[in-house]
Amino acid sequence: MAGLDLTGRRALVTGGARGLGQGMAEALTAAGARVMIADVLKDLGEQTAAGIAGAGFVELDVTSDAQWETAIAHTVAELGGLDIVVNNAGIEVTQLIVDADPDEHRRMYEINLLGTTLGVKHAFRAMRPGGAAGNGGTVINVASVAATIAFPGIAGYSATKSAVDRLTRVAAMESGKLGYGVRVNCIYPGLVPTEMGVKLAVETSQLGLFENPDAAVAAVIELTPSGRLGEVSDIADAVVFLASDQSRFVNGVGLPVDGGMGM
Ligand code: NAD
């Protein structure tokens, strides 16, 4: 993204093996940062990292406190510090509330909410004064336009993303009050046709909410003033902005990056 310079910054991106996270890793690198991709998908994560100049890979299930500790220590050692953490890893379960499966919902809550909470926890511990990195920094959590609208078939997912939004604001307040020097913001991406985005269109139509996946996509576009779906780079550029000093007085916000869908 022209004009935003992250030279010398060190970033960790969860869920960076593919999709939006991969795009964020590429965009942060293009702006000058060095990136560690953290994901449960080892082979794909290593392959993705190999295609990004200076990037590394660390295996991480974001729901594991112990794995977070190891991943952060590895990142600080490999990159020589840590300035940016993007809590992007997430899953989406498409289900009507009347058919909510407890195990699938529990897993989604754990990854989307607990995983993000642990990401903020370990980012704070590393970046606050006296931490292994110790120079402050920025955390960017990935919520969703689903936190701001009532789209049928994704109640549990929407709830996790609303929770990420509130978590973000409290985290920014705690960081400020306790002098951590870490800004915490979140983004609400609109629908982007990654594996997750395509799955959502297919599954909401399978539930009978739309005639077919194309109709689901058309319904999203109809609700979007910009008149199109999101692209990976639309979302990644917003992350670069929130990681940069140009957003230095932006703290504790949820930034819609959805072409206006969630207004
Ligand atoms: P994706 O399914 O393509 O990629 C998600 C990545 O997260 C994968 O690499 C996956 O392996 C990783 N992941 C899943 N569980 C993990 C875990 N426990 N620990 C570590 N990594 C894990 O999805 P995406 O579309 O790239 O979505 C990325 C983020 O953006 C998610 O949080 C999603 O909810 C959010 N989002 C996506 C869209 C969209 O339309 N694609 C819209 C709004 C928000």
Side-chain angles (χ1 to χ4, degrees):
M1 191 181 193
L4 298 177
D5 185 12
L6 298 177
T7 302
R9 307 286 166 89
R10 287 78 36 117
L12 180 144
V13 180
T14 70
R18 69 178 188 211
L20 298 185
Q22 177 179 355
M24 292 166 194
E26 289 168 352
L28 289 164
T29 301
R34 281 195 65 204
V35 176
M36 186 66 67
I37 286 174
D39 207 293
V40 279
L41 299 176
K42 187 169 184 290
D43 291 348
L44 186 62
E46 284 176 344
Q47 194 184 312
T48 300
I52 301 176
F57 173 79
V58 64
E59 205 170 347
L60 170 68
D61 178 340
V62 292
T63 66
S64 163
D65 204 32
Q67 285 186 30
W68 262 110
E69 217 159 288
T70 309
I72 292 275
H74 176 78
T75 304
V76 172
E78 285 291 308
L79 304 185
L82 183 64
D83 310 285
I84 301 159
V85 171
V86 187
N87 289 307
N88 163 76
I91 64 167
E92 185 270 320
V93 171
T94 314
Q95 269 168 13
L96 296 175
I97 296 168
V98 289
D99 296 323
D101 178 89
D103 291 335
E104 288 186 58
H105 273 248
R106 213 172 274 123
R107 183 74 187 139
M108 178 170 59
Y109 301 163
E110 285 203 0
I111 294 173
N112 294 5
L113 181 52
L114 176 64
T116 305
T117 306
L118 294 178
V120 177
K121 168 184 172 176
H122 288 282
F124 278 177
R125 286 182 172 219
M127 298 196 286
R128 68 183 173 180
N135 283 322
T138 69
V139 172
I140 298 136
N141 297 327
V142 178
S144 169
V145 66
T148 67
I149 59 171
F151 202 77
I154 55 170
Y157 176 75
S158 303
T160 65
K161 295 302 187 175
S162 291
V164 166
D165 174 79
R166 197 46 39 186
L167 165 71
T168 298
R169 291 158 201 268
V170 176
M173 185 59 80
E174 284 190 12
S175 173
K177 292 292 175 201
L178 297 169
Y180 293 169
V182 181
R183 290 187 294 117
V184 189
N185 294 293
C186 70
I187 57 170
Y188 314 141
L191 185 65
V192 182
T194 59
E195 284 204 25
M196 182 188 291
V198 170
K199 178 178 100 66
L200 184 134
V202 169
E203 291 180 350
T204 49
S205 55
Q206 284 168 350
L207 288 178
L209 296 165
F210 301 97
E211 208 168 299
N212 52 49
D214 286 345
V217 168
V220 168
I221 292 173
E222 180 63 28
L223 288 168
T224 305
S226 292
R228 63 170 173 85
L229 295 184
E231 295 173 3
V232 171
S233 65
D234 295 328
I235 314 304
D237 283 350
V239 167
V240 172
F241 169 66
L242 288 174
S244 75
D245 290 344
Q246 275 74 9
S247 64
R248 61 194 167 275
F249 204 49
V250 180
N251 202 359
V253 308
L255 177 67
V257 191
D258 61 0
M261 183 188 185
M263 68 180 172

